[in-house]
Amino acid sequence: MLVSMQAKLSVAEGLLKRCPTCLNNFRKHLCGLTCDPHQSRFMEPASTKINEETQQEYIDKLIVYLSKDYMEGTFNSCRQVLMPSSGVPALEAMCGSFGAAGCTYDRWFAYMGDEDTPLVPFPIVYNEAAPDGMELYNPDVLPCNQSYENNYACSCADCEESCPADITVIDTGETNEEFKIGEADGVLVIMAIIYGIFAIGFLISVIFVPQSDTGDLPPSLIYKLFFGGIPLFQTTLSKLFRKLGLVFASYPGATICLTSWAVVGMSYGALSLIVTTDRIELWASPTSQSRIEKDYFDTHFGPFYRTEQVFIKAHGLDNIMYESGMQPVEFGPVFNKTFLLTVLDLQQQIIQIGAGESYELKNICNAPLATGEVKTEDCLVQSIWGYLKNNASLLEDDSYLSILLTCMQNNVDFSCLGPFGGPIFAGLALGGFPEDANVNYSKYALSTGLSLTFLVNNHLDKTDLQPALEWESRFIQFLKEWSETKMPSFMSIAFSAERSIEDELARESEAEIATVVISYAVMFLYITLAIGRYRSFKTILIDGKFTLGVSGIVVVLMSVLSSLGIFGYAGVATTLLTIEVIPFLVLAIGVDNIFILVQTHQRNPRQKTESHEEHVARTLGTVGPSMLLTSLSETCCFLIGALSNMPAVNTFALYASVATILNFIFQITCFVSIMTLDDKRQSDNRYDVCCCVKSEKAVDDTPSEDFLYLLFKSYYSKFLLNRFIKIVVVLLFSFWLCSSLVLIPHIEAGLDQEIAVPTDSYVRSYFEYMKDVLSMGPNVYFVVKSGLNYSNENVQNLFCGGLNCYADSLTTQITRASKLPDRSYITTSASSWLDDYFDWINSGNCCQDDKGTECSETPRPTPKDFETYLPQFLLANPSQECSKGGHAAYAEGLNYVLNKDGLAIAMDSYFMTYHTVLRTSEEYTNALRSAREIASSITTMLQIDNDTYISNVSNVEVFPYSVFYVFYEQYLTITGDTINSVGYSLSAVFIVSFILMGFNIFSSVIILIMVTMIVTNLAAFMVWWDVPLNAVSLVNLVVGVGIAVEFCSHIVRAYTVSTLSGSNKRAADALTKIGSSVLSGITLTKIVGIFVLAFAKTEIFQIFYFRMYLGIVLIGAAHGLIFLPVLLSYIGPNKNTNPTLEDITRST
């Protein structure tokens, strides 16, 4: 019996020995059982048996009377002791179905005396109430932070009380505290005060200070320069465009041929275009911190596994009540026998996919405990059936529920290990239980869903991935067919393979081709109808602009193809999203210039002495500077968007900037030539399209004014510039601006994964099920780069968490952070190979030298022993006799090299833990931020005062890595990046406007104010319509700055060149001449094309292109056509203030 007791207790000691006070407290009652001379006072037989061989009676069950003080004191000293391999408390394996979370002192002792417990040699009943004639055994115990004589107290990682008072838990993550004034939103209060002051001041100024609409101009040159700029520049620019227009209009054939040849030459490069659908290449910059860290992890430890997963939900099944013997337990519907048998059948069919082929599961799966040829059962499969060893016969009675209840709470129990030899994580296999479930047993028992997870080995070499890719393809195909034909009505499934998102991104591009084509068709139809100016019904075929409309669209396509070709030659990879969106975006931008050019040409008829070429040239001289202003502004904004370090956004912005400037060039060359030919055709009474056919009917050469022009001239401008209406407009728009500033702080950052795939994709269901069912967070690895001598005890103390380890060691800092998961987003202590190695090398059950004795006789191995036995530790599989084998937990997490003496020198290593369950972009971002702060604290600790035993201490670095970091790193700085990018864009717009408006400060400032208001209101619009802030929406905001210029610059320029007197009249003149073109050519054109995007099959189109571009257009039109004329009527100069050369000379 004593031999049996020693063998059994060695298992418990292996779990508790890292905390000497706990172990000594635990041993005391066992020593009393065997050695105390007065043991008959506190223990008695519960039952006896007769040995069949000797016929002697022996005790087979004991009753021991222990005091509550002893049991509770021992429990408290041991409850924080960790198992380094898993980072969970040792009581997880020592308290049965209750696990560490539900363990109490009485449950712990009851479990240790249970006859089925592997920790004791025979059944023991522990009782804290002694009957008459007996007494309670009450040995003294010490708290975990105190030590017995000649021994050590427990470490900080295993005993919170041992931590120094000046070592505090790392406070990580953002608090996101709102700015408050009293109980109210602080920004709201401030903006309310500002608006109130402005509104009162404005009303007083309007009512009591009459506005002068006439009067002489001040003679000051500064005044003239401020409001009028330098006319010489604008005159020169207009003359330049007029001369260019005359050249291209005079030689249309040569111009069209040369531009066509140039386009063909540039477009040829598109055949070499590199298109990527790799998520990492799309969303993570090669130079970003997370990408560099990922590459380091992949090259030193191998890329993270490929995950193939199925989520399964129960429908229409009742919960199950089970009498466990201790208390009634309610189980969720997924524990229904029929449901579980169906799940097992599905699991086995998945395992058999590709059986007998080169890509069968056993050839590609991760098998962490396999030591030879991998068998199918060696594959790591996380499934609830792992607790039942995939044995369907265990469901013949209700005992399977008892097994499951135990294993869900204690997955490290050797009887609960999966067929592959490792633990089944309940948080991964089960889920969908109420978050607020208040039960004394495992909350996983109430699960309404479960999952099947298959881990497949990943490879950096893409050719090595072909078998895995083939298996994944068959996996997807099989589950699609199974869900359609074989899935019973009481369950539903959602699934995904590692390749799924990449496949769906490729499919998305095909799905959206129709959307882009329809958008082009609708915009083309609108353009051809809108740019025509019809004299009568009889002249429709002559006055039609079908050919010109087609030419405008062809010019846009020329710029897009040329842009693709240029970057194809340059070898710059692009994305399917870029190829889909750029044609639409450039068309929406380019059409504006076409409308302005054509309608200006129509509204300024050819003079009697002018040829058609000179007429076209004069038109280009008039609107060319405005076209250049808008095109340059948009190009600059795109280039600023290219500063984004997200590859998909970066390439999108680069392609768009080149396409935009090429579109402008082709418009003033090729399109001007075509417009000249069309002008001659119409003048010669030839039919549109069939230009060889000439009408013989005499028609009136004077076309009627279009409806919108007359509407603006006769009604709208008079209504808008009414004194009362102007007051209302100013108050409403200033209120809009202030309310937008209140909303902007509430913009949410993020990009949910599901919106990147089509709405009909099976992957969307997978993401939805994952939020409901998955109840375990992702792995996070704290990577320690090479360069440390781990055989040195001082270095060991910097990383370990057991005896003599520093209170701020790596393991201890992570452990303490895990105690505040709501802030740190860390849920367990890190698995520490050093601590397990110390326990392993000191255990005779684990490590023996050539003489059969323990490998190390001291708590810490000597440097030589450390380096001698390290490879053996990493090859040892954990067993019930020795749970500290490092093969499963650390073989892939610790690299070493053998020196010339054959000793192992530890190199790179990682310490793994888990994040909390993460469901939103904010949680993912805060988890990344938290991990980096913890890693930074650890790196600082390593580099301070450790140069005596760490060479090149400044090169020592610890960084965190998790698979999702590369996708969420952008959100750490997205707010600052947005402010900077929009600020740079506004600066670029001001500079471009200032130069191209002839150094007119007033006009440039007005444009800047209007664009700023539009973008501010657009940002608030994002809050209203649930558009999150990310790299895509950031670029859209920057693009919005450029597009907003279109709504303002033409009207501002028309105001500055107006020859009328009086700001009201000049504003009305500008609104009449250019407002209808802004509405029909800029606003309505974009709206027509944008509305098609509302029917896109992917939410990324609907949210970031339909919603945001619709917002840009509506907000821009409202400001350009309503607020801007009113603003100019209030603060604009009463007369044309352009200073003459005589003014400048006289001043000089």
Side-chain angles (χ1 to χ4, degrees):
M1 182 177 287
L2 291 177
V3 173
S4 175
M5 176 176 282
Q6 182 179 7
K8 295 286 187 178
L9 290 179
S10 65
V11 177
E13 289 189 2
L15 295 171
L16 302 176
K17 65 186 295 185
R18 57 184 277 119
C19 180
T21 302
C22 158
L23 183 58
N24 282 324
N25 290 338
F26 178 75
R27 283 173 170 170
K28 281 192 174 182
H29 82 283
L30 298 176
C31 293
L33 296 182
T34 56
C35 306
D36 194 291
H38 306 292
Q39 61 183 214
S40 60
R41 298 179 182 175
F42 58 84
M43 57 184 286
E44 61 182 344
S47 63
T48 60
K49 288 186 177 179
I50 302 296
N51 189 305
E52 295 181 358
E53 294 182 3
T54 63
Q55 295 301 309
Q56 292 182 336
E57 185 179 19
Y58 69 92
I59 299 172
D60 76 321
K61 187 174 184 179
L62 275 177
I63 299 177
V64 178
Y65 301 103
L66 288 179
S67 70
K68 177 182 177 182
D69 290 342
Y70 169 75
M71 289 192 289
E72 194 168 26
T74 302
F75 171 79
N76 288 334
S77 68
C78 297
R79 62 185 177 86
Q80 299 179 61
V81 179
L82 298 171
M83 290 190 293
S85 60
S86 61
V88 299
L91 291 183
E92 195 76 36
M94 300 179 69
C95 209
S97 62
F98 297 104
C103 196
T104 58
Y105 75 90
D106 51 336
R107 289 173 175 173
W108 184 37
F109 276 86
Y111 178 75
M112 290 192 295
D114 191 283
E115 58 186 345
D116 296 325
T117 300
L119 302 178
V120 292
F122 49 83
I124 303 174
V125 177
Y126 292 101
N127 199 328
E128 58 181 286
D132 293 340
M134 302 297 289
E135 60 185 43
L136 295 175
Y137 187 58
N138 187 27
D140 294 331
V141 294
L142 292 178
C144 58
N145 62 329
Q146 296 182 22
S147 63
Y148 284 92
E149 188 176 356
N150 299 322
N151 214 322
Y152 301 97
C154 302
S155 67
C156 178
D158 297 314
C159 175
E160 182 73 23
E161 293 78 7
S162 292
C163 299
D166 59 340
I167 301 294
T168 58
V169 178
I170 299 171
D171 187 5
T172 59
E174 283 192 335
T175 58
N176 291 324
E177 292 184 2
E178 294 184 358
F179 169 51
K180 295 282 188 180
I181 296 179
E183 296 297 322
D185 185 325
V187 179
L188 174 61
V189 173
I190 292 174
M191 296 315 302
I193 294 172
I194 291 175
Y195 178 74
I197 294 172
F198 168 80
I200 294 172
F202 171 72
L203 290 173
I204 291 174
S205 66
V206 170
I207 295 172
F208 297 104
V209 181
Q211 181 183 5
S212 174
D213 212 26
T214 58
D216 297 329
L217 291 173
S220 170
L221 173 63
I222 295 177
Y223 180 89
K224 292 184 177 183
L225 289 173
F226 180 84
F227 283 103
I230 301 176
L232 180 62
F233 183 86
Q234 291 200 61
T235 303
T236 304
L237 194 61
S238 294
K239 287 182 178 179
L240 174 63
F241 274 102
R242 189 167 185 167
K243 289 181 179 179
L244 289 174
L246 185 60
V247 171
F248 301 134
S250 300
Y251 303 98
T255 301
I256 294 172
C257 288
L258 288 174
T259 53
S260 300
W261 294 341
V263 169
V264 170
M266 290 185 287
S267 301
Y268 185 76
L271 298 177
S272 305
L273 200 63
I274 303 170
V275 180
T276 180
T277 56
D278 187 318
R279 287 186 297 162
I280 303 297
E281 298 297 332
L282 285 173
W283 304 112
S285 168
T287 59
S288 67
Q289 180 181 343
S290 61
R291 182 70 179 276
I292 293 171
E293 291 170 349
K294 178 190 181 300
D295 291 342
Y296 187 95
F297 184 92
D298 290 350
T299 54
H300 288 79
F301 305 105
F304 192 76
Y305 314 107
R306 302 178 69 84
T307 304
E308 333 296 348
Q309 199 164 45
V310 185
F311 291 118
I312 310 172
K313 285 185 177 181
H315 298 283
L317 298 176
D318 296 329
N319 285 4
I320 302 168
M321 294 304 301
Y322 173 67
E323 296 293 336
S324 66
M326 300 180 67
Q327 59 180 328
V329 176
E330 183 179 6
F331 282 87
V334 296
F335 297 95
N336 177 283
K337 290 182 181 181
T338 305
F339 184 90
L340 285 177
L341 288 172
T342 305
V343 170
L344 177 62
D345 180 64
L346 175 61
Q347 175 182 310
Q348 299 294 45
Q349 290 186 62
I350 293 173
I351 290 174
Q352 291 303 313
I353 291 175
E357 303 289 342
S358 60
Y359 56 83
E360 67 178 311
L361 188 61
K362 71 176 184 180
N363 293 336
I364 62 172
C365 73
N366 176 253
L369 291 168
T371 54
E373 182 181 353
V374 177
K375 305 180 184 64
T376 302
E377 55 267 25
D378 294 330
C379 292
L380 197 162
V381 179
Q382 287 287 329
S383 163
I384 189 177
W385 273 100
Y387 293 142
L388 303 172
K389 305 297 186 286
N390 296 331
N391 185 358
S393 64
L394 292 177
L395 267 63
E396 293 177 358
D397 57 43
D398 289 345
S399 62
Y400 76 97
L401 294 173
S402 177
I403 297 172
L404 292 175
L405 185 62
T406 298
C407 294
M408 286 186 295
Q409 282 286 68
N410 185 9
N411 61 5
V412 294
D413 190 311
F414 279 91
S415 65
C416 295
L417 299 181
F420 66 94
I424 303 295
F425 296 104
L428 186 57
L430 293 160
F433 48 82
E435 292 292 339
D436 57 350
N438 184 18
V439 293
N440 293 325
Y441 47 87
S442 173
K443 60 185 178 182
Y444 297 109
L446 296 172
S447 295
T448 59
L450 51 79
S451 69
L452 305 176
T453 305
F454 306 84
L455 289 189
V456 171
N457 288 327
N458 211 344
H459 303 278
L460 292 176
D461 189 343
K462 299 300 182 183
T463 58
D464 294 336
L465 280 178
Q466 291 309 309
L469 292 172
E470 180 63 27
W471 189 89
E472 289 172 357
S473 179
R474 301 298 179 92
F475 168 83
I476 295 169
Q477 181 182 356
F478 165 76
L479 286 171
K480 284 182 177 179
E481 294 175 356
W482 189 90
S483 61
E484 293 174 359
T485 61
K486 298 181 180 180
M487 184 173 67
S489 60
F490 54 77
M491 71 165 48
S492 62
I493 69 169
F495 56 90
S496 175
E498 190 72 22
R499 66 176 294 166
S500 291
I501 294 182
E502 201 166 321
D503 289 347
E504 291 302 287
L505 287 175
R507 187 173 75 86
E508 171 200 343
S509 65
E510 299 173 3
E512 298 302 352
I513 289 176
T515 304
V516 176
V517 170
I518 293 173
S519 178
Y520 260 67
V522 171
M523 293 178 75
F524 162 72
L525 181 62
Y526 172 77
I527 293 167
T528 55
L529 293 175
I531 64 175
R533 193 178 180 193
Y534 306 100
R535 290 169 288 184
S536 68
F537 182 78
K538 297 178 182 180
T539 62
I540 287 179
L541 295 180
I542 297 173
D543 296 336
K545 299 294 180 182
F546 183 86
T547 303
L548 199 60
V550 171
S551 301
I553 291 180
V554 170
V555 165
V556 171
L557 291 175
M558 287 166 56
S559 64
V560 172
L561 289 174
S562 299
S563 175
L564 295 176
I566 290 172
F567 286 102
Y569 284 126
V572 177
T574 188
T575 67
L576 294 171
L577 185 66
T578 297
I579 296 174
E580 294 162 3
V581 176
I582 292 296
F584 162 78
L585 181 61
V586 178
L587 178 62
I589 292 173
V591 165
D592 307 339
N593 288 337
I594 291 174
F595 263 89
I596 298 295
L597 189 62
V598 173
Q599 291 186 344
T600 302
H601 184 70
Q602 292 170 339
R603 291 170 185 170
N604 291 274
R606 182 164 58 94
Q607 298 172 2
K608 292 182 180 181
T609 58
E610 275 186 327
S611 65
H612 289 286
E613 290 81 1
E614 290 171 335
H615 182 201
V616 171
R618 179 163 58 87
T619 301
L620 185 62
T622 301
V623 300
S626 292
M627 292 171 60
L628 179 62
L629 170 60
T630 57
S631 298
L632 271 183
S633 297
E634 287 158 348
T635 301
C636 289
C637 290
F638 279 126
L639 289 174
I640 289 170
L643 297 175
S644 170
N645 62 2
M646 182 180 288
V649 174
N650 176 274
T651 56
F652 170 81
L654 286 174
Y655 278 70
S657 61
V658 173
T660 301
I661 201 66
L662 286 176
N663 185 56
F664 168 74
I665 292 172
F666 293 149
Q667 282 176 340
I668 65 171
T669 55
C670 187
F671 185 78
V672 163
S673 297
I674 296 172
M675 192 171 76
T676 304
L677 295 175
D678 186 74
D679 194 39
K680 290 181 178 180
R681 173 201 62 77
Q682 185 176 7
S683 177
D684 203 25
N685 281 344
R686 297 183 182 276
Y687 292 124
D688 190 20
V689 181
C690 301
C691 56
C692 297
V693 181
K694 182 176 180 180
S695 173
E696 300 299 332
K697 298 178 181 179
V699 294
D700 183 13
D701 288 339
T702 306
S704 61
E705 295 289 355
D706 62 78
F707 171 75
L708 285 178
Y709 179 82
L710 293 175
L711 179 67
F712 271 73
K713 180 179 181 181
S714 304
Y715 301 100
Y716 179 69
S717 60
K718 295 178 180 179
F719 170 79
L720 179 65
L721 297 176
N722 175 275
R723 186 167 183 260
F724 175 75
I725 297 298
K726 290 199 299 181
I727 294 173
V728 174
V729 166
V730 171
L731 292 178
L732 285 177
F733 274 78
S734 57
F735 176 80
W736 188 2
L737 177 63
C738 292
S739 62
S740 294
L741 292 172
V742 174
L743 288 175
I744 286 176
H746 301 283
I747 297 177
E748 294 184 359
L751 177 62
D752 291 335
Q753 302 176 76
E754 57 263 35
I755 71 172
V757 296
T759 52
D760 60 348
S761 171
Y762 67 92
V763 179
R764 288 184 67 90
S765 299
Y766 170 78
F767 286 130
E768 292 170 3
Y769 275 48
M770 182 170 66
K771 291 179 180 179
D772 293 338
V773 176
L774 188 63
S775 53
M776 181 176 181
N779 312 53
V780 54
Y781 304 87
F782 286 88
V783 178
V784 183
K785 292 186 177 181
S786 59
L788 295 164
N789 179 13
Y790 287 103
S791 65
N792 182 296
E793 185 173 351
N794 290 312
V795 174
Q796 295 166 5
N797 291 336
L798 295 170
F799 294 94
C800 62
L803 292 178
N804 297 325
C805 301
Y806 297 153
D808 59 349
S809 69
L810 179 147
T811 301
T812 304
Q813 288 200 44
I814 297 173
T815 300
R816 291 176 64 77
S818 70
K819 296 181 185 299
L820 289 175
D822 292 341
R823 283 189 283 173
S824 69
Y825 295 89
I826 300 293
T827 188
T828 65
S829 178
S831 57
S832 169
W833 64 270
L834 269 173
D835 290 284
D836 271 340
Y837 184 39
F838 296 155
D839 293 342
W840 179 86
I841 204 171
N842 276 289
S843 172
N845 290 343
C846 299
C847 181
Q848 295 182 350
D849 59 18
D850 296 336
K851 300 178 182 178
T853 59
E854 293 181 1
C855 297
S856 177
E857 297 179 354
T858 58
R860 296 284 182 90
T862 63
K864 182 177 181 181
D865 287 344
F866 184 97
E867 296 170 347
T868 299
Y869 296 108
L870 185 60
Q872 187 178 335
F873 165 69
L874 296 176
L875 291 174
N877 279 335
S879 63
Q880 191 158 350
E881 292 74 26
C882 176
S883 62
K884 299 294 184 177
H887 182 206
Y890 307 118
E892 296 178 351
L894 173 61
N895 298 322
Y896 67 88
V897 294
L898 297 178
N899 64 14
K900 61 181 181 179
D901 298 321
L903 300 177
I905 308 301
M907 305 294 286
D908 308 273
S909 67
Y910 63 63
F911 296 75
M912 187 192 77
T913 181
Y914 293 92
H915 281 303
T916 54
V917 179
L918 307 173
R919 291 189 170 91
T920 66
S921 294
E922 181 182 12
E923 290 175 346
Y924 279 106
T925 305
N926 285 340
L928 167 58
R929 180 184 294 106
S930 164
R932 284 192 173 171
E933 290 179 1
I934 294 171
S936 176
S937 174
I938 294 170
T939 300
T940 302
M941 176 272 298
L942 293 175
Q943 294 179 350
I944 294 178
D945 299 330
N946 292 324
D947 53 333
T948 55
Y949 44 87
I950 298 181
S951 58
N952 299 321
V953 67
S954 61
N955 295 330
V956 176
E957 181 185 354
V958 177
F959 68 84
Y961 169 73
S962 191
V963 289
F964 69 87
Y965 286 177
V966 290
F967 304 114
Y968 289 91
E969 183 182 33
Q970 59 168 303
Y971 305 120
L972 295 177
T973 58
I974 191 68
T975 302
D977 292 343
T978 302
I979 294 172
N980 290 335
S981 296
V982 172
Y984 294 149
S985 301
L986 292 173
S987 300
V989 165
F990 177 79
I991 293 171
V992 171
S993 302
F994 179 65
I995 295 173
L996 296 183
M997 294 292 286
F999 304 96
N1000 187 319
I1001 299 175
F1002 171 77
S1003 299
S1004 305
V1005 170
I1006 289 293
I1007 291 175
L1008 179 64
I1009 292 173
M1010 296 305 302
V1011 172
T1012 302
M1013 290 180 66
I1014 291 171
V1015 174
T1016 301
N1017 292 329
L1018 177 63
F1021 178 83
M1022 292 170 61
V1023 179
W1024 282 111
W1025 213 349
D1026 296 325
V1027 179
L1029 179 62
N1030 49 53
V1032 179
S1033 52
L1034 187 158
V1035 169
N1036 284 344
L1037 283 171
V1038 171
V1039 172
V1041 172
I1043 294 178
V1045 175
E1046 297 181 2
F1047 293 99
C1048 309
S1049 61
H1050 299 297
I1051 293 178
V1052 171
R1053 190 171 188 277
Y1055 183 91
T1056 59
V1057 299
S1058 175
T1059 57
L1060 299 181
S1061 296
S1063 58
N1064 230 42
K1065 294 178 181 179
R1066 299 184 75 201
D1069 184 46
L1071 187 60
T1072 299
K1073 289 181 177 179
I1074 209 72
S1076 60
S1077 295
V1078 171
L1079 178 61
S1080 61
I1082 299 178
T1083 307
L1084 296 181
T1085 307
K1086 286 181 170 63
I1087 289 178
V1088 167
I1090 288 169
F1091 265 111
V1092 177
L1093 297 181
F1095 303 97
K1097 295 183 179 180
T1098 51
E1099 279 193 280
I1100 199 166
F1101 265 78
Q1102 297 173 4
I1103 294 174
F1104 296 105
Y1105 295 100
F1106 168 65
R1107 294 183 188 178
M1108 287 201 72
Y1109 280 87
L1110 182 62
I1112 292 171
V1113 172
L1114 295 180
I1115 296 170
H1119 283 75
L1121 297 175
I1122 300 175
F1123 183 66
L1124 177 58
V1126 171
L1127 181 65
L1128 289 172
S1129 73
Y1130 276 122
I1131 65 173
N1134 289 329
K1135 292 184 180 180
N1136 190 317
T1137 56
N1138 291 342
T1140 63
L1141 287 176
E1142 182 183 353
D1143 292 328
I1144 297 175
T1145 304
R1146 186 187 310 115
S1147 176
T1148 303

